Amino acid sequence: EWHPDKGWTTIPDSAMSGPNGIVVTSDGKSLYVAGWPGKNVTRFERGAASPKRETIATGILSDNLRWMRDGSILVGGQDGNMPGVFQCQPPKCHIGSAAVKIDPRTQKATRIATYAGSAGFEGATTSLEVGKEIWMGSFRGERILRLPLP
């Protein structure tokens, strides 16, 4: 993390594989970081000499994080495994997409959207709550997938 008076410092016990998306609680006490290859999100509780670390399994290749209106964290990512994403060569295969909602009070993750993938859209990298829908963006193509919120 970076501070104007100290510059860059490493948060103790913060090393992880493939850190990607990040959100911070409004009070600045907790960081949530997407762990892409680990299919998880890790919560770091700040403010102590040794920050608390808690890992939440998502079941998807967790790519990016966004806050939802109800205070939950929306995780967007690919519904598959790491080798499958790297080896997939359309049109022979398609990369699924999914969104998971994490309740910060309980750290419980619940899948709320799944899309198998097609020539029109695949491989979500981000999800965003828009009205009564979840919009997903992808690393493949120029389209946005719109799914209803459950």
Side-chain angles (χ1 to χ4, degrees):
E1 63 184 6
W2 185 83
H3 298 273
D5 54 335
K6 299 187 286 186
W8 288 102
T9 58
T10 300
I11 297 172
D13 190 32
S14 63
M16 58 189 292
S17 178
N20 206 359
I22 186 169
V23 293
V24 180
T25 56
S26 60
D27 62 8
K29 292 183 180 178
S30 293
L31 308 171
Y32 290 84
V33 182
W36 186 77
K39 295 185 174 186
N40 61 45
V41 170
T42 301
R43 176 181 170 262
F44 297 97
E45 188 176 312
R46 302 173 61 238
S50 180
K52 181 180 175 184
R53 177 183 175 141
E54 179 178 9
T55 300
I56 306 155
T58 62
I60 65 172
L61 293 164
S62 307
D63 211 321
N64 280 291
L65 309 177
R66 298 284 185 269
W67 288 109
M68 297 182 77
R69 284 188 307 272
D70 68 1
S72 297
I73 299 166
L74 183 61
V75 185
Q78 299 92 55
D79 192 15
N81 59 48
M82 193 170 58
V85 169
F86 289 127
Q87 294 168 2
C88 179
Q89 297 297 319
K92 296 177 185 174
C93 63
H94 297 286
I95 301 166
S97 302
V100 172
K101 181 177 181 175
I102 295 175
D103 182 337
R105 294 175 303 278
T106 64
Q107 310 310 318
K108 182 181 178 201
T110 305
R111 184 181 289 236
I112 60 170
T114 301
Y115 184 73
S118 70
F121 185 90
E122 63 180 321
T125 54
T126 191
S127 295
L128 179 67
E129 178 183 20
V130 179
K132 294 181 181 183
E133 296 178 322
I134 294 175
W135 289 16
M136 293 182 172
S138 170
F139 70 96
R140 285 202 172 150
E142 302 171 340
R143 296 182 179 169
I144 294 174
L145 175 67
R146 296 169 57 185
L147 298 173
L149 270 170

